[in-house]
Amino acid sequence: MTGPWTDWDHVLKVDPDKDLVDGETFSDVCRTGTDAIEIGGTLDVTTDKMQRVVEACSRYDVPLYQEPSNPGVVIESDDLDGYLVPTVFNADSSFWVTGAHKEWVRIDGPLDWDRTTTEAYIVLNPDASVAELTEADTEQAADDVASFAAVAERMFGQEIVYIEYSGTFGDPEKVAAAQDALRESTLFYGGGIGDYDAAYEMGKHADTVVVGDLLHDEGVDAVRETVEGVNDAHAETVAE
């Protein structure tokens, strides 16, 4: 499993439906030190909003990926490095595991398969929009999370396993359990990363820390602190 994400410590997720902090630009966003930018959101996202962000970020030398929440917001652009497509392993309905993806292929197929990769989401915050939308079963113990991660990697060949706590800081024990269950897949963590300490804590367990709301709420200086936090955690892990 040798996708570019194996070298990512930090990903910045930009929600096209949300504004940047007053006075900040996408030039500032692309200079935070993040390893890649994902463009995506759960609610009120349109192709026009997606396109606006893609065009604004494409001028800068940062890998740029779309994370579509549904087939209707996918845009085709050479400015994108690829598509990271969620598949929610603990969703109540198979629609969010394969159903929405089948519809995308049916409507727009064949897809750009060389640039399309799925992310095996394990959604664990019951109050998150993605949990409500997919009716995810978020009541998962650490061994359940580890088992989902192993299934995603070993049975379904997922290159990315994504522990999603969007809106709140998650349980490091569950993130560590997922990491211990994986052999080669890259473990993403997202949720509640609001400062250096939070990024450092989850950086001790996850391969890649994803920061989203912080950009829109606090701005690029706060994002830079999270880049520093996860990089320090990973540097210490390598040194041990």
Side-chain angles (χ1 to χ4, degrees):
M1 296 184 180
T2 57
W5 36 85
T6 61
D7 295 322
W8 295 349
D9 298 300
H10 186 283
V11 168
L12 185 56
K13 186 177 289 189
V14 179
D15 188 334
D17 189 52
K18 296 180 180 179
D19 294 328
L20 300 179
V21 169
D22 286 348
E24 296 187 349
T25 67
F26 284 107
S27 174
D28 301 321
V29 170
C30 294
R31 292 187 171 100
T32 54
T34 191
D35 294 301
I37 292 175
E38 273 190 309
I39 303 170
T42 303
L43 303 174
D44 300 320
V45 174
T46 66
T47 54
D48 287 344
K49 292 175 182 177
M50 282 280 191
Q51 190 65 55
R52 177 180 64 87
V53 178
V54 169
E55 290 177 355
C57 293
S58 64
R59 305 181 183 98
Y60 306 95
D61 189 24
V62 180
L64 192 60
Y65 288 77
Q66 184 184 11
E67 187 185 58
S69 55
N70 67 78
V73 301
V74 175
I75 62 171
E76 296 183 12
S77 173
D78 291 336
D79 292 327
L80 289 168
D81 289 87
Y83 304 89
L84 297 176
V85 183
T87 174
V88 182
F89 269 55
N90 60 325
D92 182 63
S93 168
S94 63
F95 181 78
W96 299 108
V97 183
T98 58
H101 314 74
K102 181 268 291 182
E103 285 300 293
W104 181 16
V105 173
R106 184 181 66 81
I107 295 168
D108 292 338
L111 305 185
D112 186 351
W113 295 113
D114 290 339
R115 295 198 299 158
T116 301
T117 301
T118 50
E119 306 165 296
Y121 264 64
I122 306 168
V123 177
L124 297 176
N125 176 14
D127 297 322
S129 296
V130 63
E132 295 176 2
L133 179 66
T134 63
E135 298 182 342
D137 180 3
T138 59
E139 294 299 317
Q140 307 292 335
D143 60 344
D144 295 315
V145 175
S147 298
F148 270 123
V151 167
E153 179 186 59
R154 306 298 290 176
M155 291 185 175
F156 289 85
Q158 297 292 289
E159 295 188 30
I160 298 170
V161 175
Y162 195 134
I163 305 298
E164 173 66 296
Y165 271 95
S166 181
T168 192
F169 189 72
D171 184 346
E173 179 186 353
K174 295 181 181 180
V175 182
Q179 183 64 273
D180 289 344
L182 298 176
R183 296 186 181 183
E184 298 180 0
S185 298
T186 299
L187 182 65
F188 281 25
Y189 170 82
I193 303 297
D195 55 25
Y196 174 97
D197 291 338
Y200 179 86
E201 176 65 24
M202 283 307 180
K204 292 190 295 184
H205 308 296
D207 298 308
T208 305
V209 172
V210 182
V211 174
D213 289 342
L214 185 68
L215 171 67
H216 303 285
D217 295 339
E218 301 293 336
V220 295
D221 287 342
V223 171
R224 289 189 186 100
E225 290 186 11
T226 66
V227 173
E228 183 179 352
V230 66
N231 285 345
D232 285 351
H234 287 172
E236 290 182 12
T237 300
V238 170
E240 291 177 356

